[in-house]
Amino acid sequence: MKLPGCNLPGIMVVVFVMLSINSTSAVTKFNVLNFGAKPNGRTYSTDGFLKAWNAACGSADSSFIYVPKGRYLVGSLQFKGKCRSPGIIIRIDGTIVAPLDYGVLGKSRNWFSFEGVTGVSIIGAGAFDAKGPSLWACKASNSNSCPSGATTLSFTNSNNIRINGLMSLNSQMFHIVINGCKNVHIQGVKIIAAGDSPNTDGIHVQLSTDVEILKTSIKTGDDCISIGPGTKNLWVEQVTCGPGHGISIGSLAKDLKEDGVQNVTMKRTTFSNTQNGLRIKSWARPSTGFVEGVRFTDSVMRNVQNPIVIDQNYCPRNENCPGQVSGVKIKDIIYTDIRGTSSTPVAIKFDCSTKNPCTGIKLQNVNLTYLKKAAQSFCSNVVGKAVDLVRPDSCL
Ligand SMILES: *[C@@H]1O[C@H](CO)[C@@H](O)[C@H](O)[C@H]1NC(C)=O
Ligand SMILES: *[C@@H]1O[C@H](CO)[C@@H](O)[C@H](O)[C@H]1NC(C)=O
C-alpha cells in the first residue's frame, strides 16, 4: 500500500515552529481547497476532505488541516488511524453541509467518523449542518421506510481527542458520539436542533474514560448528554440544556452483560424547559451494570418536568421486560445545590429496583418548587439521607 503522504502535492506548506533552542517540531499544513474541495455549497467535496486527511495522516510531522470559510457539500466520511502524524489539528471555519436528500447520509451510521485515531483536534468557528428536518419529517409520518440516520460527529476507539468551538446543527441522529475513547476534551461547542426532533441526542458517551465536556450549550430534541455503560471519570461543567430530555445516565440494562458507570461529576448545569434534569435510568431487566460515584452539584432547573429522577423501571409499552426488575446497582449518588422550578408536582423521584435498592443517595441544599408552592418527592426502594435544606421534604 502506498502511504498517502508519499506523493506530496507541491502546494503543501511546511512551517517550522521553534519550541525551544534545542527542539524543533514541524507542523505541515493542508488546506482542503488544495485537494479539490469547493467552498460553493454545491460541488461534492467529500473526496477533497478525504485526500487532505490522508495527506495529513501520512505526514511525518504534526499536521494542520484547514477548512476556510465557505460552504462545503460533504457526504459521509471515515477518517481512520493509525496515522504516521503524531497529531492532527483540523480547523474548520466554514460550514459543512449534508446533501439535501437525507437518504445519502441516512444509510451510513455516521457523517464524520473518526476511528482508531490518536491526538486529533477539531476546532474553529465553523459548523456542521446535517439538514436533519427532512428525515425527522419522514420519521414523524411514521413511515417504516425511513433510515435511522447518521450521527454527525463520531469518535470510536480513539485517544487524546479535542473538540473546541464549532456548532452542530440539525443532526439526523445524535450530534456527537464518543465511543470506546480515552482522554477526550469537548469545550465551547454549540448544539442546535428542534425540541421535537427525534433521537437527536446532543453528546453521547459510552465505554470511555477521562472525558470532559465544558462550556457547551445543547438545544435538542432528545437527551442533552446521554451516558452509556462503561463510562468512567466523566466531568461535565457549565453546560446548558434545553429544549430536550436533559442529562441522562442510561438507559442502562439494555444488555445482560454490561459495564458500569463510575465517577461522574456534573457541575454548574442549567436546564430550561426540559423533560428531565438530572436522570439515571435503567430498563427493568437483569443486567450486570451499575452506577457508582456520581456528584451532581450546582444546578439550576427552569420549568423542568422531572428535575431529579432515578427510574429503574423503564419499560415502555410493557415490551421486553414484563414482570422483570432492574439488575443495575445504583450507589453513592450526591445531589448538592440544586434549585429552581419543576413543571410537575413531583420534583424528586427515586424509583429504584426492588431487587437492588439504590443506596448512598444524598440530597443537600436542594430547593425545587412547583407553581411557587412546595413540590413533592417520591421514594421507592431507596436508602439515603437529606442534609441541610431540602425542599420538597425528602422521603429518604
Ligand atoms: C474521578 O474523575 C476525575 C475526572 O473527572 C478524576 O480527576 C479523579 O481522579 C477520578 N477519581 C478517581 C477516584 O478515579
Ligand atoms: C426556595 O426557592 C424559592 C423560589 O426561588 C424561594 O422563594 C424560597 O425562598 C427558597 N427557599 C429557601 C428556604 O431558600
Side-chain angles (χ1 to χ4, degrees), residues 259-272:
D259 290 329
V261 173
Q262 50 191 315
N263 188 19
V264 174
T265 305
M266 308 256 179
K267 225 174 148 169
R268 297 172 73 189
T269 48
T270 302
F271 299 85
S272 302

Side-chain angles (χ1 to χ4, degrees), residues 298-319:
D298 197 354
S299 216
V300 176
M301 306 284 168
R302 297 191 185 113
N303 200 40
V304 172
Q305 287 175 43
N306 307 295
I308 292 177
V309 54
I310 298 180
D311 175 11
Q312 288 207 267
N313 291 298
Y314 180 65
C315 189
R317 291 179 300 274
N318 261 326
E319 281 166 22

Side-chain angles (χ1 to χ4, degrees), residues 16 39 142 233 334 368 378:
F16 289 93
N142 235 339
N233 306 347
I334 300 177
L368 294 164
F378 171 91

Side-chain angles (χ1 to χ4, degrees), residues 180-369:
C181 296
K182 191 163 164 34
N183 196 10
V184 178
H185 182 95
I186 299 174
Q187 182 165 345
V189 175
K190 244 196 183 120
I191 289 174
I192 302 176
D196 60 356
S197 55
N199 314 117
T200 54
D201 293 38
I203 302 175
H204 178 77
V205 180
Q206 66 175 24
L207 298 171
S208 295
T209 305
D210 298 325
V211 178
E212 277 183 331
I213 303 170
L214 311 177
K215 295 184 180 164
T216 285
S217 148
I218 302 171
K219 303 175 188 212
T220 196
D222 207 299
D223 291 339
C224 174
I225 299 175
S226 52
I227 297 140
T231 301
K232 196 174 161 186
N233 306 347
L234 169 67
W235 190 283
V236 173
E237 186 164 353
Q238 267 186 279
V239 168
T240 62
C241 301
H245 294 181
I247 291 180
S248 187
I249 297 178
S251 306
L252 303 173
K254 232 177 246 153
D255 298 314
L256 180 59
K257 216 173 163 304
E258 233 178 50
D259 290 329
V261 173
Q262 50 191 315
N263 188 19
V264 174
T265 305
M266 308 256 179
K267 225 174 148 169
R268 297 172 73 189
T269 48
T270 302
F271 299 85
S272 302
N273 302 306
T274 49
Q275 189 185 79
N276 308 287
L278 305 164
R279 173 169 67 169
I280 300 174
K281 171 183 168 193
S282 80
W283 285 83
R285 285 209 294 250
S287 174
T288 58
F290 63 89
V291 181
E292 191 172 327
V294 181
R295 291 160 301 277
F296 295 115
T297 61
D298 197 354
S299 216
V300 176
M301 306 284 168
R302 297 191 185 113
N303 200 40
V304 172
Q305 287 175 43
N306 307 295
I308 292 177
V309 54
I310 298 180
D311 175 11
Q312 288 207 267
N313 291 298
Y314 180 65
C315 189
R317 291 179 300 274
N318 261 326
E319 281 166 22
N320 304 320
C321 38
Q324 303 199 57
V325 295
S326 180
V328 172
K329 295 183 180 66
I330 297 178
K331 189 177 152 188
D332 296 335
I333 317 292
I334 300 177
Y335 302 85
T336 38
D337 300 318
I338 318 285
R339 59 210 177 271
T341 55
S342 172
S343 65
T344 67
V346 178
I348 301 177
K349 182 174 174 182
F350 297 125
D351 186 6
C352 296
S353 164
T354 49
K355 181 159 168 267
N356 303 292
C358 299
T359 58
I361 308 296
K362 182 174 158 191
L363 292 164
Q364 179 169 26
N365 277 323
V366 174
N367 183 8
L368 294 164
T369 56

